[in-house]
Amino acid sequence: VSTQSTWGPSWLQTVANLIFFLLGGFVLALYFALVGVICCITILGIPFGLKLFLLARFSMFPFGKQLRPVNHSQEPVKMILSLLWILVLGLWPAALLVGMALGFTSSILLLPLAWQCCKLVPVALFPWTFDFEKIKKY
C-alpha cells in the first residue's frame, strides 16, 4: 500500500469523506457498529465486536487512511479467529462492500468511492491481518 496520498489537499479528502459518508458510509458504519454490539454481548464475541467497531470507524471516513498489513502468521489464536470470522461474520460485510462498489461504478464521478469500498473488502474478510493508519503527508 502506498504511503503517499493521491488525494492532494486535505480539503479534497474532507469533501470526498463527506460524500462517501452521505452515500453509504453512514449505513456501513451503522451496520458494522450494530453487529459489533451484538457480538460484544458474549465474552467470546468481544474480539469480533472490536474488529467490527474498527471497521465502522474506518468505513465512515476512509479517504486519507491506508491499510497496513500486520503479520500474525505465527499466532495460532489469530488464525483460528480469522477462520471463525470468515465462516460466521466475514462474508456478509464483504458482500455488502462489493455491492456498494458495484453501485458506485454507475458514474465515473463515484469511482473513487467504489475504490474505497474495494479497499475495505480484504479487511472485511481478514480483519486480523490489517490495521489502519493515517496517510502521512511529506
Side-chain angles (χ1 to χ4, degrees):
V1 178
S2 168
T3 58
Q4 295 254 340
S5 173
T6 58
W7 284 95
S10 62
W11 66 268
L12 189 57
Q13 288 178 3
T14 304
V15 169
N17 276 325
L18 183 63
I19 292 170
F20 188 85
F21 180 78
L22 294 174
L23 292 180
F26 176 72
V27 174
L28 274 176
L30 187 63
Y31 170 76
F32 291 142
L34 287 176
V35 175
V37 167
I38 292 170
C39 285
C40 285
I41 290 173
T42 66
I43 292 175
L44 294 176
I46 289 175
F48 300 106
L50 294 178
K51 285 299 177 178
L52 283 163
F53 294 145
L54 183 71
L55 273 170
R57 192 179 76 209
F58 185 76
S59 65
M60 279 194 293
F61 305 110
F63 289 93
K65 296 178 186 145
Q66 68 182 3
L67 298 174
R68 180 176 42 94
V70 178
N71 186 10
H72 291 298
S73 61
Q74 303 299 324
E75 298 181 31
V77 173
K78 300 284 183 177
M79 292 170 55
I80 292 170
L81 285 174
S82 293
L83 181 63
L84 284 173
W85 176 275
I86 291 172
L87 294 176
V88 177
L89 293 172
L91 295 178
W92 290 109
L96 178 67
L97 288 165
V98 168
M100 284 185 66
L102 289 174
F104 285 144
T105 58
S106 63
S107 169
I108 195 165
L109 295 174
L110 297 177
L111 286 177
L113 304 181
W115 174 248
Q116 295 302 318
C117 285
C118 291
K119 189 167 77 169
L120 280 170
V121 170
V123 180
L125 287 174
F126 309 105
W128 277 276
T129 59
F130 293 101
D131 199 9
F132 303 109
E133 62 185 17
K134 288 189 178 183
I135 295 176
K136 296 178 181 129
K137 301 244 178 177
Y138 296 103

